[in-house]
């Protein structure tokens, strides 16, 4: 397990926190928290083995959030001095005083135990920021040249995005946490045009809470891309209709993200979050009664799973993270919550879903790793396919569309395969699957076993106004669904 970097620990975090929190107390704040944060980012993008874009970012600053007379106040700065920290706390209280004129509800936070001097580091082997950019570029260029050497490939894009996030948090209740986590998103995509058809194929290895060693996960996929692209370009266009589906985890994670992950955010279900991607059909009056899916559907929110993109030890309100039920035996049983929204709805505690994407932003409720459980005795993916007489198998994610209630949706994929008589008979093109959330999950009739389970994920999930980004993983097995509508996207476009 890596240690937290010494240069971050050497920052005057405790002196700044003491100055800020004491000033907030002196001004009568009911609650105050201090967050010092450093975020490093590195992005490399190559086109046809030539470096096209390279950027490094390094953000360091701190924020003070208060509840004063029942109203939020927030301010942030970059100058790391105790005097500045006290001044920022004073400004946060002033913001609360000014905002009081527009406040409609008193801010109260669900109670949480204090966690003094807690530390946490994510699980990774090689810090990507200790690998020279030249070495990183060389690896991506090597992938690209191997692909360009294949006559079936016209163009290649390759990229790598890495983030290191370090946070120190302290509040007036006595919690003090210091954390460090690393995440990485490497990938490659090949393009070709044949007989008037232009298409692409990319790696399906998802972004992960791992270090530079994760590129070994992508490596085996590289050499398979030309053959897969050639097969896709030559594939027949799908005949629209109703089919049984088998979805690989590399596709199903995104459907979970959009139709379950966002739909079970309590702020969205209550209507507090509406402008960015809408609210949710899964409203609190339906908790415990909404048949979300088939009885084999069990979904958890989990900020503790190893290598998860949303995995941390403590959230940005000092809450120890955990795993909790969202859907149990097909029924809606829980929500993702932060401290404020938990109190609004009468919960005794938060389940640790507060997150801010920079020292300049206020924490908002964000998604945990939302994952679908495997069947402990379930079959392999081939076993699921063997049970389908007339269907389609989908691998990899591509585009998606879902309405503002998280109910009506449409998803495409990297690869669609025809299943006939329990066997894959070839690739298809131009396909998308469409359903409502409850119909889709209600049609899930079989889950793969633990051997099919994988963590997918998104590096850049957006929410809030001003908008914030967060990274989140979704674990799931392969799964089989009955009677799902398949569209021909070319016909739908009127071509």
């Amino acid at each position: 397990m890596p240690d937290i970097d010494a240069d971050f620990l050497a920052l005057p975090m405790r002196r700044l926190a003491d100055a800020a929190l004491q000033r907030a107390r002196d001004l009568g704040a009911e609650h105050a928290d201090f967050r010092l944060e450093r975020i490093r980012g590195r992005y490399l993008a190559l086109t046809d083995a030539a470096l096209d874009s390279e950027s490094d970012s390094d953000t360091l600053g701190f924020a003070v959030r208060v509840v004063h007379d029942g109203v939020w106040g927030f301010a942030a700065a970059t100058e790391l001095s105790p005097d500045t920290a006290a001044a920022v706390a004073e400004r946060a209280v002033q913001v609360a005083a000014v905002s009081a004129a527009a406040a409609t509800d008193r801010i109260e936070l669900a109670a949480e135990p204090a966690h003094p001097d807690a530390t946490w580091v994510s699980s990774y082997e090689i810090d990507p920021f200790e690998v020279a950019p030249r070495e990183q570029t060389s690896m991506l260029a090597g992938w690209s040249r191997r692909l360009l050497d294949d006559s079936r490939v016209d163009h290649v894009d390759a990229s790598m995005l890495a983030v290191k996030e370090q946070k120190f948090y302290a509040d007036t209740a006595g919690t003090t946490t210091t954390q460090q986590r690393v995440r990485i998103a490497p990938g490659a995509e090949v393009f070709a045009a044949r007989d008037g058809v232009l298409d692409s194929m990319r790696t399906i290895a998802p972004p992960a809470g791992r270090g530079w060693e994760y590129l070994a996960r992508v490596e085996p996929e590289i050499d398979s891309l030309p053959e897969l692209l050639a097969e896709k370009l030559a594939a027949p266009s799908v005949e629209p209709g109703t089919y049984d589906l088998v979805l690989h985890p590399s596709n199903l994670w995104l459907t979970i993200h959009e139709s379950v992950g966002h739909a079970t955010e309590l702020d969205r279900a209550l209507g507090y979050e509406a402008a960015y991607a809408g609210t949710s059909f899964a409203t609190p009056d339906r908790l415990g009664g909404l048949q979300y899916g088939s009885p084999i559907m069990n979904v958890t929110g989990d900020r503790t799973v190893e290598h998860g993109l949303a995995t941390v030890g403590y959230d940005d309100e000092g809450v120890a993270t955990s795993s909790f039920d969202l859907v149990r035996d097909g029924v809606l049983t829980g929500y993702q919550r932060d401290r404020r929204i938990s109190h609004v709805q009468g919960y005794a505690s938060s389940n640790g879903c507060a997150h801010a994407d920079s020292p300049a932003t206020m924490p908002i409720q964000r998604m945990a790793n939302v994952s679908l459980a495997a069947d402990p005795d379930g079959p392999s993916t081939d076993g699921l396919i063997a049970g389908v007489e007339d269907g389609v198998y989908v691998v990899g994610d591509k585009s998606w569309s879902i309405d503002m209630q998280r109910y009506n949706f449409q998803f495409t994929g990297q690869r669609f395969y025809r299943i006939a008589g329990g066997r894959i008979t070839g690739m298809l093109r131009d396909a998308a699957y469409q359903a409502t959330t409850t119909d889709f999950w209600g049609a899930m009739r079989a889950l793969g076993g633990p051997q099919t389970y994988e963590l997918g994920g998104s590096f850049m999930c957006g929410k809030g106004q001003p908008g914030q980004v967060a990274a989140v993983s979704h674990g799931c097995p392969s799964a089989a669904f009955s009677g799902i509508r398949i569209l021909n996207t070319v016909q739908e476009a009127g071509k």
Side-chain angles (χ1 to χ4, degrees), residues 142-377:
W143 290 355
S144 301
R145 283 191 288 271
R146 279 160 54 190
L147 292 164
L148 288 167
D149 284 344
D150 194 301
S151 60
R152 295 169 292 186
V153 172
D154 294 340
H155 298 287
V156 178
D157 286 343
S159 64
M160 190 280 300
L161 174 60
V163 174
K164 179 192 281 186
E165 185 180 289
Q166 298 163 314
K167 292 192 183 189
F168 171 81
Y169 170 93
D171 64 30
T172 46
T175 288
T176 305
T177 65
T178 310
Q179 304 185 88
Q180 175 170 298
R181 60 175 177 158
V182 165
R183 53 189 181 271
I184 194 164
E189 185 168 12
V190 294
F191 300 81
R194 298 290 184 273
D195 302 323
V197 177
L198 169 66
D199 218 321
S200 68
M201 183 68 64
R202 65 174 167 79
T203 51
I204 60 172
R210 295 177 182 262
W212 180 250
E213 72 280 357
Y214 185 60
L215 269 73
R217 163 70 172 79
V218 184
E219 180 71 30
E221 289 192 64
I222 297 299
D223 292 331
S224 67
L225 291 178
E227 177 65 30
L228 291 169
L229 178 59
E231 185 179 359
K232 188 177 185 181
L233 286 167
S237 195
V238 70
E239 184 67 30
T242 299
Y243 295 87
D244 290 348
L245 291 188
V246 176
L247 302 184
H248 187 267
S250 59
N251 180 268
L252 186 56
W253 77 265
L254 183 55
T255 311
I256 295 171
H257 177 86
E258 299 294 347
S259 69
V260 186
H262 280 307
T264 57
E265 294 171 310
L266 185 53
D267 60 344
R268 204 178 286 280
L270 288 169
Y272 282 66
E273 170 69 17
Y276 199 144
T279 57
S280 172
F281 76 97
T283 48
D285 59 301
R286 310 181 79 181
L287 186 68
L290 173 62
Q291 193 68 44
Y292 213 105
S294 74
I296 63 172
M297 182 186 187
N298 293 292
V299 179
T300 57
D302 187 351
R303 300 201 72 184
T304 67
V305 64
E306 188 177 35
H307 305 309
L309 292 166
T311 298
V312 290
Y314 304 86
D315 77 351
D316 286 349
E317 294 184 320
V319 178
T321 54
S322 63
S323 176
F324 48 90
D325 281 349
L326 296 172
V327 177
R328 176 60 53 187
D329 299 330
V331 177
L332 176 68
T333 54
Y335 289 104
Q336 306 161 71
R337 314 185 309 271
D338 64 9
R339 292 184 65 181
R340 188 265 174 119
I341 295 296
S342 292
H343 186 273
V344 166
Q345 201 59 18
Y347 289 96
S349 62
S350 164
N351 51 27
C353 290
H355 174 75
D357 70 351
S358 86
T361 54
M362 185 162 161
I364 59 175
Q365 186 185 299
R366 295 312 308 263
M367 198 183 300
N369 304 301
V370 172
S371 299
L372 173 69
D375 178 348
D377 302 314

Side-chain angles (χ1 to χ4, degrees), residues 21 48 77 104 106 126 142 173 223 397 423 485-486 488 491:
L21 298 180
D48 293 338
T104 56
R106 184 177 180 82
I126 303 172
D223 292 331
D397 65 88
R423 296 175 55 252
R485 185 183 180 202
I486 292 285
N488 183 301
Q491 293 179 15

